[in-house]
Amino acid sequence: MTEDTKKSAFQFHGNWVDFAKIALVNLLLTIITLGFYRFWATTREREYLWSQTQFIDERFEWVGTGKELFIGFIIIAFLFLIPFSLLYFFATIINPLAAGIVYIIGLLFVFYFVGLAKYRMLRYRLSRTYWHGIRGGSDDKGFRFGLTYMIKTTLGFLPLGLANPWATCELWNERWEKLSFGPNDFQSHASYNSVFGTYLLSYIFFPFTWVYQARLRRTLIDGLRLEKLEFAFTASTFDWIGLIIVDVLIVLGTLGIGLIFIPYRHWQFYINHLEAYGEVNLDALTQSQTAKEKHGEGLLDAFDVGAI
Amino acid sequence: MANDIVDPFFSVSHFDGKTAVRRKVEIQTIGQNFFLLENERRHGPYTFDYMHFVSKTKDNISYGYEDIDGWRLTLSGPIPEGLKPLLPATRTYGSWIDKLGLGKASVAFIAVSAAVLVVGMTAPQWLAPIIPQSVENSLGDTLVGDFGGRFCNTPDGKAALAKLTNSLDGNPDDLQVEVVNIDMLNAVALPGGKIFLFEGLIQQAESVDEVAGVLGHEIGHVRERHVMQGLLRQLGLSLVLGGLNENVGGVLNSALSNSYGRDAEREADSHSIRVMSEANISPIGTKGFFEKLADMTNEDNDISEMTSYMSSHPLSTERAAAFQKSFDANKDYKPALSSAEWGAIKSMCKNDPDVKSGFGFDLFDE
């Protein structure tokens, strides 16, 4: 199947009224359940956004469940947050030094978990995303990536933060190269070379941070490949500024209620600026053989960044 | 038995989950089973019972099949009447809510949430009395120890302090009242019946009656078991809020758990007023103490220990008024202690050669 060059391979068909019906009910249910509904709320929003996003000839399908996210949250809570809170509470009773030690150990854990979660989030989302009945995933659980993340992020900050773009690109590439869709592994070749100059300028003149951030996202996505598909991201600095200004206006103008539209707006923004070139051979696109627990309730497999 | 589908607006597409090829098929139902017919090929047999709902949009409904990853049957257009009862139920809000209906489910959620809130917020009050005193005592000992050698101790001073305590409490054996050599205008009640009057409070008090009022207040905290309640509340908050969001949790935690809360402070005040009245000690000194607090906070807030004392206690002017109101002009009030005894307490820290100074102590600074 070859790609029509005039039209983007990605199309978004959603409209905000339909999304509002979902998001407003979600908001109410989340409030009256003291926040517990949010896992199911996230799932409903994703079901909608995925189902309104077309790639070439077919829409995506989100099959993740609220229960999975909830279980992921419970695991994190019982494995980490509650033991750590108790430990910290009793440490503060014993003495300030013990509390300090517990606190630092806790921070190191969080650091590790953030790296792990950045990878797990991608893996979870790919494994719950279907297109033409085919999904993505990975057999790599990401425990080593958590360590790499700690090391490279630290290295990136050490020389006055100068190696930050290097660390970001390296970690992005490492994450994606562990992932696959159907039988094909992703390849990722984002290089910090193309963003380093802008990054240096941002030290001198602050607004260049925005230019850097926009260029970084283009660089990261432009470096992605999946078999014969190449991806590209077209959002310029001004596109981003426009997005954020309108976000702020909507949120202020609605006294905060508009916050519930932000996921919609950002998803739409990403899809509208996402491009793919190349071809997909449907006969050769076979089912992913990566590990997947029967009902997707595998322990840590389920925790999403929202849970941290 | 075969059921022919004839509606021209109704179409069925199928992914077998093995490759990404889309297959246009027709459904051939045979009782609870069905085949999918694609040109010359026939896929199946499948059983409707093993199908589950996956997704729906305005035009399509998609089903999956147990154990076949990626198997999809997507129906577009009006579903034939004969097929409808065989298909599994769809899902909108989540299976529980769908079963009950959104309205009923909402009512149920509100009821459960309200119950959880009530139980959670009152838990420290009914849990605290269940915790044995021995546990609280050993907790107090671990927490405090000898407070880094900062207890002031002279025989005369201790005797005077014990006399003051005895006059305010009928059963003072389980109380440990100490003057602590730290220059703060404050007093605290800690687990295990430990009550600390800080040296700053003693030195700035204009009369022993003032100290008696504050001591009566702290005894009130001990007798009402506010200390354990406060600890439990802090523990509970750090668990609940910590579980949801670290930042918000931290802020709320300190805001909510700071000291014992206003209701507990009022309870402690009325305890103080009652025992002072029973001991024939005039409430006017304590009233003066709160007026002093009110003046100082009105003027400037440079003194940090002042504001920390103020933040959780009911407004000082209001408290001063409560003590004033309890004054009975017909009553024959006596000073809480003789001036010699009061002098012994006032000079206890100065005259104790072993006591450590308060500098560098940071247990309460967090």
Side-chain angles (χ1 to χ4, degrees):
Chain A
M1 187 177 296
T2 44
E3 176 51 30
D4 182 344
T5 46
K6 281 176 195 154
K7 225 166 122 191
S8 168
F10 290 95
Q11 301 283 325
F12 184 62
H13 300 285
N15 75 71
W16 71 271
V17 179
D18 286 341
F19 186 83
K21 287 178 197 159
I22 294 171
L24 283 171
V25 175
N26 277 345
L27 178 66
L28 291 176
L29 283 171
T30 304
I31 291 170
I32 63 174
T33 55
L34 304 174
F36 273 102
Y37 188 74
R38 68 198 176 97
F39 310 103
W40 287 266
T42 305
T43 300
R44 279 200 74 203
E45 287 184 7
R46 285 191 192 155
E47 279 172 358
Y48 178 78
L49 294 175
W50 263 241
S51 74
Q52 299 301 325
T53 305
Q54 182 176 333
F55 178 60
I56 308 180
D57 64 333
E58 178 78 15
R59 297 183 182 197
F60 288 107
E61 190 180 75
W62 175 260
V63 302
T65 64
K67 197 158 123 192
E68 276 167 6
L69 294 179
F70 176 66
I71 290 171
F73 166 77
I74 291 291
I75 288 166
I76 289 298
F78 279 89
L79 233 57
F80 178 69
L81 292 176
I82 291 179
F84 178 71
S85 298
L86 283 173
L87 204 61
Y88 184 67
F89 179 79
F90 287 112
T92 44
I93 287 184
I94 294 166
N95 71 42
L97 182 67
I101 291 169
V102 170
Y103 191 72
I104 287 169
I105 292 173
L107 282 185
L108 285 174
F109 262 99
V110 169
F111 194 10
Y112 177 79
F113 273 112
V114 166
L116 185 63
K118 276 178 174 242
Y119 169 74
R120 285 295 179 103
M121 179 199 77
L122 280 179
R123 184 175 97 134
Y124 173 72
R125 290 186 186 185
L126 272 172
S127 73
R128 301 299 186 268
T129 298
Y130 282 77
W131 182 79
H132 275 253
I134 304 295
R135 67 176 171 89
S138 173
D139 282 326
D140 192 315
K141 294 188 190 311
F143 292 121
R144 278 184 60 138
F145 179 78
L147 288 177
T148 318
Y149 176 82
M150 291 172 83
I151 294 166
K152 291 200 170 157
T153 305
T154 311
L155 287 178
F157 271 106
L158 281 183
L160 297 169
L162 280 179
N164 227 329
W166 166 81
T168 309
C169 290
E170 282 279 301
L171 290 168
W172 168 272
N173 291 341
E174 270 176 58
R175 254 177 290 161
W176 277 98
E177 300 224 319
K178 292 180 199 302
L179 298 162
S180 59
F181 198 88
N184 306 317
D185 290 335
F186 280 97
Q187 293 163 310
S188 182
H189 302 293
S191 161
Y192 70 95
N193 288 333
S194 53
V195 289
F196 192 63
T198 332
Y199 185 72
L200 282 183
L201 285 176
S202 73
Y203 275 49
I204 301 163
F205 187 52
F206 175 75
F208 269 95
T209 307
W210 304 326
V211 182
Y212 166 70
Q213 290 294 343
R215 187 166 285 190
L216 177 67
R217 278 160 181 77
R218 293 199 298 269
T219 301
L220 294 177
I221 294 173
D222 288 354
L224 268 184
R225 282 186 70 108
L226 181 67
E227 236 252 321
K228 289 177 186 162
L229 276 179
E230 286 179 36
F231 296 91
F233 193 58
T234 60
S236 68
T237 308
F238 290 108
D239 291 332
W240 278 102
I241 292 174
L243 175 78
I244 304 296
I245 288 176
V246 177
D247 278 355
V248 170
L249 290 177
I250 288 176
V251 172
L252 292 180
T254 57
L255 302 175
I257 299 284
L259 268 175
I260 62 176
F261 290 111
I262 302 298
Y264 175 89
R265 285 181 45 76
H266 287 205
W267 178 265
Q268 185 180 35
F269 181 82
Y270 265 97
I271 298 302
N272 284 347
H273 290 97
L274 193 59
E275 304 284 349
Y277 309 99
E279 57 182 61
V280 179
N281 181 346
L282 291 177
D283 285 307
L285 184 58
T286 52
Q287 188 57 281
S288 174
Q289 297 306 310
T290 54
K292 188 190 185 194
E293 286 77 4
K294 205 170 177 187
H295 292 291
E297 288 166 22
L299 302 180
L300 285 163
D301 186 43
F303 81 72
D304 210 321
V305 270
I308 291 204
Chain B
M1 285 286 275
N3 188 0
D4 291 327
I5 309 293
V6 286
D7 191 326
F9 297 106
F10 178 68
S11 72
V12 183
S13 72
H14 170 57
F15 294 114
D16 63 10
K18 295 186 184 78
T19 78
V21 176
R22 183 210 302 274
R23 300 165 197 283
K24 201 157 166 43
V25 295
E26 285 178 15
I27 303 174
Q28 182 187 40
T29 58
I30 302 168
Q32 281 296 308
N33 300 326
F34 63 96
F35 289 93
L36 297 175
L37 308 180
E38 180 198 10
N39 296 332
E40 302 306 310
R41 286 180 66 187
R42 195 171 79 151
H43 306 266
Y46 302 108
T47 304
F48 282 108
D49 289 344
Y50 291 157
M51 265 170 69
H52 60 261
F53 168 77
V54 176
S55 64
K56 66 180 173 203
T57 60
K58 271 189 189 120
D59 314 309
N60 303 320
I61 292 192
S62 243
Y63 297 94
Y65 199 79
E66 184 158 296
D67 289 343
I68 307 181
D69 192 10
W71 188 99
R72 290 291 180 272
L73 195 62
T74 305
L75 314 182
S76 311
I79 297 171
E81 288 304 321
L83 197 56
K84 272 184 187 165
L86 298 166
L87 297 169
T90 60
R91 189 184 64 246
T92 307
Y93 302 105
S95 49
W96 288 7
I97 302 180
D98 290 343
K99 266 177 214 154
L100 276 173
L102 187 58
K104 276 188 191 166
S106 301
V107 172
F109 283 141
I110 290 171
V112 171
S113 296
V116 167
L117 280 178
V118 167
V119 171
M121 286 169 79
T122 57
Q125 274 150 40
W126 48 263
L127 271 178
I130 299 173
I131 291 172
Q133 190 65 46
S134 60
V135 171
E136 191 186 319
N137 290 348
S138 59
L139 194 63
D141 290 337
T142 342
L143 167 57
V144 176
D146 68 346
F147 222 59
R150 289 175 183 83
F151 295 151
C152 303
N153 190 353
T154 62
D156 292 349
K158 287 297 265 188
L161 201 54
K163 187 178 170 194
L164 184 63
T165 310
N166 287 351
S167 69
L168 294 170
D169 196 90
N171 187 19
D173 289 348
D174 56 352
L175 296 176
Q176 181 195 350
V177 182
E178 304 280 357
V179 174
V180 179
N181 192 22
I182 295 173
D183 187 21
M184 288 198 291
L185 189 67
N186 208 344
V188 290
L190 295 172
K194 293 174 198 301
I195 293 172
F196 296 166
L197 305 170
F198 291 99
E199 174 68 352
L201 173 86
I202 302 288
Q203 292 311 320
Q204 292 188 44
E206 277 159 30
S207 75
V208 67
D209 291 357
E210 238 180 89
V211 177
V214 174
L215 180 56
H217 174 92
E218 300 304 334
I219 292 174
H221 280 317
V222 173
R223 293 295 173 229
E224 305 283 348
R225 296 212 71 179
H226 291 158
V227 185
M228 208 60 216
Q229 283 176 27
L231 269 179
L232 288 172
R233 183 167 293 126
Q234 182 133 19
L235 176 63
L237 284 175
S238 67
L239 285 185
V240 173
L241 302 175
L244 288 177
N245 184 323
E246 284 297 325
N247 283 332
V248 177
V251 174
L252 271 182
N253 192 349
S254 61
L256 290 174
S257 70
N258 195 351
S259 187
Y260 307 116
R262 292 191 163 206
D263 286 345
E265 298 302 340
R266 285 206 182 85
E267 265 177 47
D269 274 354
S270 13
H271 185 96
S272 179
I273 288 170
R274 196 181 69 243
V275 296
M276 292 231 291
S277 159
E278 282 164 15
N280 264 341
I281 300 170
S282 162
I284 295 303
T286 317
K287 176 204 149 202
F289 172 73
F290 286 119
E291 281 173 351
K292 203 158 55 183
L293 280 184
D295 283 352
M296 290 172 86
T297 41
N298 282 343
E299 283 160 22
D300 65 274
N301 276 346
D302 284 355
I303 310 158
S304 62
E305 57 266 28
M306 280 293 309
T307 49
S308 76
Y309 191 73
M310 291 297 300
S311 59
S312 59
H313 284 42
L315 282 173
S316 293
T317 44
E318 188 189 316
R319 304 179 65 183
F323 278 87
Q324 169 72 57
K325 204 177 145 203
S326 74
F327 180 76
D328 181 350
N330 301 321
K331 212 162 176 177
D332 180 22
Y333 289 114
K334 297 194 182 79
L337 291 174
S338 72
S339 58
E341 287 164 333
W342 172 222
I345 293 178
K346 270 204 136 167
S347 60
M348 188 152 65
C349 291
K350 250 176 269 151
N351 294 343
D352 181 351
D354 301 327
V355 73
K356 299 243 171 28
S357 96
F359 291 107
F361 197 82
D362 58 0
L363 184 64
F364 295 103
D365 281 1
E366 31 172 54

